[in-house]
Amino acid sequence: MTARAVELRADVAIAGLGLGAIAAAMAVVRAGRTAVMAGPESRLGGQVTAQLTAPLDEHPHIETAGCSTSYRAFRDGLRAEYGGVVNPGGGWVSRICFEPLVGERVLAAMLAPAVEAGRLTVVTGATPIVVEQLGARIAAVRFRTPEGELRLAGDVVIDATETGDLLPLAGVDWIVGSEGRDAFGEPHALPGGPDSRAEQSCTIVAALVRDDGPHEVGAPPEGYAELRDAQPFSLTLANDADHEHTFPFFDDGVPPGSFWSYRRVRDPRQVGGPDAAIINWHGNDWYGSPLTAEPERTRADARRLAVAFVHWLRTEAPRDDEAGTGYPELRLAPEVSGTPDGLAETPYVRESRRLASARPVTELDLAPRAGLARAAAFDDAVGIAWYHADLHPRVGGHSSVYAPTAPFQVPLRALVSERDGAPVNLVAGAKNLAATQVAAAAYRVHHGEWAVGEAAGALGAVAVDRRTSPADIAGDPSAQVALQVALLRAGVPIVWATDLGPRHAAFVAGSLLAAHGGLDDDRLRRLEVRPDEPADTEALAALSRAAATLAARFDLEAPAPPERAGASWADLARTLADPILTAADALGHPEARHGVTARPSRHDPE
C-alpha cells in the first residue's frame, strides 16, 4: 500500500466492471460527460465473462423489441463475431449462446472509442475499501489494488458492483436475503419475517469441451462423495411447484433439449472448432453459505463443489447409451473460460445487497394482471425489462422459485436511497436496486442489469449537467421527465410497446405519453400500441390526459387536443407532446433553458 493514493477523477465514478457498470459508463460518455470505472475482476463483463454465464437470459420479444439501442448493439456485435450466425452455441436456454471470450471482445470494442478519446478510464483488479464522505455527498471511493491504493472521485458515484459493495461502506441502509412474506405480502417470499442469511445460491461456473476420445480422469477430489450425495448430483431439475424433469446428457431428441445443449456456447456444426458448453446447473449451485456475509468461505466451497460436479459428469453421470456411467471425453477448458483451470474467475452472483426502501419494487408490482399486458406502471420509469422471478435455492435449504411476471419497468425511485442523511450523489447501478428478493430475481439477468446500469449512468450525467444530485432529480417531477426524455432520445425505452421502437418517428413522444397514462383501455390489453393506425376518441382522450399531466409538471398549460380527423396515434402523440419535450429538453440542458427555470437543488454549493 502506497502512502499516498493515486487519484483518478471524472464526472461520474463507477464501482464495478459488469454489465451494469458498462451500460452506465456508455450512458455517461454518450451524454458528453467523463467516467472512470474500477472493479476487482481481471476483466470486463461480469456475468458474461468473469462469471462465465455468457448465454443471455432474456424475454420472448428480445429479437425485435424490449431493450435499448445499446443493448441491441451488444447482441448484434456478438453475432457479427461469428459471421452472422444467430445462435453460435445452439444452446436452448437463450437465443444467443456464445463464448465468454467473444463477449469480452465485443464489450471492450464498444468501450474502446471512449477509452481512446480519454472520456473513459477502466481499472481492473481494484477492490473498494473506503467511501469518503463530505457532508451529504460521497467525495471519493478508495480501492485496494496490487500496485497500491487508488482513489476515484466524481460528482456522482454509481455502485455497479456485483454485490452492492459500496452500500455498507457509504452507510446506506441495505438489505439482503428474504424480507419475508409479512413485509409486503408477496406470494413467493419466505413465510414470516426477514431472514438475511436466506440469500440465493451462487455458482462457480465451469467451461467444458467435449473431445473425440476419453481422458484420464484421476482420483475424486477431496470431499467428493459427501458433496455428491448432499446436493445431490443429477441431471434432474425441480422447482417449488413439485415439477421436475430429467434431461438426457447429449441426445437432443426430446424437448426442450439435453443437459449439454442447455448452455452450449460453441456448436462445431455451425461455427467449427471444439464442442463447448458452460455448466451452470443445480449440481454446482452453492447454497451452503451466503456470499455477501461470508465471501471467502463461500467462494472456496463453491469452487470445491464445481470441481466435484465436473468429476461426477466425467465418471458417474448416466450415459444416454446406458453403457456404463460418466463421460471421460469431457475436460475443463481454459481456452473457453479465459482462466488457467477452466473455472470461472468469480462466482455467478444471483443476489446483491439492495437499497432498503419503505416502498421497494415487489413481486406484486411485477405480477401479471388480468386483462392487461403489462405489469404495474411507474410514472418515473427509466427503463424496461422482463424475466420471470427466478430464485435458485437459498441458504437454509429453501427450494427454487419460478414466479411469473408481466413486462415491467425500472423505476427511478429504486436507484437512490430514500433515507435522510444518505449520500445524495450515490446511485444503484446493477442488481442492488431497491427491490425485494423476489422482484430483484427478475431484474438480475443480463438485459435487466444493463437497463438499471444505463438508467443510472443517464441519471448521473443529467445530475452533473444540472449541477444537482441524483436524489434531487428523483424528487423533482419535472426533472424526472427531463431524464426520461434524455433516455428516450438515446434509444432507451421506458414503457413496453413492441411496435414503437427507437427508430419510429413517434418513439420519444409516444413513449413519454404512454408512460404517463397515455394508453387507452384497448392498448393496455396488448403490448402493441399500433402507432400508425388512426386514433379513436378513447385513444385521443388518453393521450390528452397524459399530456395535461406532463404539462403540469412544467407549469405549462395543457395542450389543446388536436382536431385532426383520421390522424394516427403517432401524429397525435407528437403534436401533444411537442411543448412538453421542448420544456424537458431545456430543463435537461441548463445552458439552453430558453426561459424554463430549473428548480434549485437543496444541495447546490452556496
Side-chain angles (χ1 to χ4, degrees):
M1 188 74 67
T2 57
R4 184 175 181 180
V6 173
E7 179 169 322
L8 294 174
R9 177 168 183 85
D11 294 321
V12 179
I14 303 168
L17 296 172
L19 297 183
I22 290 168
M26 292 176 63
V28 171
V29 172
R30 184 175 63 220
R33 292 294 172 175
T34 59
V36 56
M37 55 191 292
E41 299 87 358
S42 67
R43 56 210 286 208
L44 282 166
Q47 297 186 55
V48 165
T49 59
Q51 299 174 31
L52 295 189
T53 50
L56 302 177
D57 293 315
E58 297 171 329
H59 56 77
H61 301 286
I62 192 64
E63 293 296 341
T64 56
C67 70
S68 69
T69 298
S70 64
Y71 185 80
R72 189 159 304 286
F74 171 49
R75 299 178 88 252
D76 290 345
L78 293 169
R79 286 172 171 159
E81 283 283 316
Y82 290 95
V85 175
V86 173
N87 187 355
W92 54 268
V93 74
S94 172
R95 291 162 181 80
I96 305 184
C97 295
F98 57 95
E99 296 154 284
L101 291 175
V102 173
E104 185 175 2
R105 286 202 303 272
V106 172
L107 291 168
M110 292 178 75
L111 296 181
V115 173
E116 293 165 2
R119 309 290 295 175
L120 172 64
T121 302
V122 179
V123 182
T124 59
T127 302
I129 52 174
V130 175
V131 168
E132 299 176 11
Q133 293 188 232
L134 183 61
R137 306 179 74 91
I138 293 177
V141 180
R142 298 211 305 267
F143 293 77
R144 181 179 62 250
T145 77
E147 293 76 31
E149 192 171 288
L150 170 69
R151 185 174 185 269
L152 296 191
D155 295 325
V156 172
V157 175
I158 296 175
D159 182 355
T161 59
E162 298 299 325
T163 50
D165 298 339
L166 297 195
L167 302 186
L169 295 176
V172 174
D173 292 341
W174 55 274
I175 191 168
V176 73
S178 176
E179 290 84 358
R181 195 172 301 164
D182 292 349
F184 303 103
E186 297 174 294
H188 290 91
L190 295 179
D195 183 352
S196 62
R197 286 188 62 83
E199 192 178 312
Q200 278 198 79
S201 58
C202 67
T203 304
I204 293 292
V205 177
L208 298 183
V209 159
R210 178 189 186 187
D211 287 329
D212 291 335
H215 300 279
E216 183 66 33
V217 174
E222 183 180 355
Y224 168 74
E226 179 182 356
L227 290 168
R228 176 198 62 199
D229 298 341
Q231 199 70 359
F233 294 160
S234 76
L235 301 181
T236 300
L237 292 181
N239 63 20
D240 62 331
D242 294 327
H243 174 78
E244 67 178 36
H245 182 80
T246 299
F247 293 80
F249 204 100
F250 287 123
D251 184 4
D252 288 326
V254 179
S258 68
F259 166 82
W260 182 253
S261 63
Y262 174 51
R263 290 183 180 269
R264 190 182 204 168
V265 293
R266 188 175 187 94
D267 180 357
R269 296 168 298 183
Q270 295 192 86
V271 295
D275 189 357
I278 61 108
I279 307 304
N280 173 21
W281 193 258
H282 174 76
N284 52 330
D285 267 5
W286 175 254
Y287 45 91
S289 57
L291 182 62
T292 56
E294 302 174 46
E296 292 185 8
R297 171 196 167 187
T298 299
R299 286 169 180 259
D301 287 345
R303 185 166 290 269
R304 280 192 287 272
L305 178 64
V307 171
F309 185 55
V310 170
H311 184 82
W312 181 83
L313 295 175
R314 301 182 70 199
T315 60
E316 294 191 64
R319 290 185 62 91
D320 295 332
D321 58 12
E322 300 181 355
T325 59
Y327 288 90
E329 62 267 37
L330 302 179
R331 62 173 175 83
L332 285 163
E335 70 271 29
V336 176
S337 69
T339 59
D341 58 5
L343 298 175
E345 175 183 337
T346 62
Y348 174 34
V349 179
R350 296 189 180 90
E351 184 169 336
S352 169
R353 300 175 184 89
R354 306 180 296 280
L355 283 173
S357 172
R359 53 188 192 119
V361 182
T362 72
E363 178 186 0
L364 304 179
D365 293 319
L366 308 185
R369 301 183 294 166
L372 300 174
R374 301 165 186 81
F378 298 117
D379 65 1
D380 63 343
V382 287
I384 62 171
W386 187 25
Y387 203 69
H388 51 271
D390 183 8
L391 287 94
H392 281 232
R394 284 161 282 185
V395 176
H398 308 288
S399 60
S400 299
V401 169
Y402 191 93
T405 65
F408 53 82
Q409 298 165 302
V410 179
L412 175 57
R413 72 170 196 240
L415 306 188
V416 294
S417 176
E418 64 185 17
R419 181 177 65 83
D420 289 340
V424 297
N425 63 332
L426 177 64
V427 182
K431 294 183 281 287
N432 54 351
L433 77 164
T436 63
Q437 182 183 53
V438 180
Y443 283 100
R444 69 173 174 81
V445 293
H446 302 80
H447 71 282
E449 184 179 337
W450 189 289
V452 173
E454 191 160 29
L459 173 59
V462 169
V464 172
D465 276 345
R466 298 189 65 217
R467 297 185 60 209
T468 188
S469 73
D472 277 341
I473 290 173
D476 182 335
S478 61
Q480 289 178 17
V481 176
L483 172 61
Q484 290 176 321
V485 172
L487 283 160
L488 288 166
R489 294 206 186 282
V492 180
I494 63 172
V495 68
W496 272 89
T498 54
D499 52 358
L500 187 65
R503 293 184 178 180
H504 197 285
F507 170 68
V508 176
S511 297
L512 185 65
L513 294 179
H516 288 268
L519 297 179
D520 55 275
D521 289 346
D522 184 54
R523 286 174 171 81
L524 289 172
R525 287 192 287 267
R526 62 190 76 187
L527 292 180
E528 302 87 6
V529 300
R530 308 186 309 284
D532 301 314
E533 292 184 10
D536 60 18
T537 303
E538 288 75 17
L540 176 57
L543 289 170
S544 298
R545 286 194 299 270
T549 298
L550 287 162
R553 294 197 179 195
F554 294 94
D555 299 323
L556 299 173
E557 291 185 7
E563 297 179 4
R564 297 173 59 186
S568 70
W569 186 93
D571 287 342
L572 293 176
R574 294 173 69 186
T575 300
L576 286 165
D578 184 63
I580 299 156
L581 295 178
T582 299
D585 286 336
L587 191 64
H589 299 87
E591 71 281 1
R593 285 181 184 146
H594 303 301
V596 177
T597 303
R599 291 181 172 89
S601 167
R602 55 190 168 94
H603 304 290
D604 274 348
E606 296 183 359

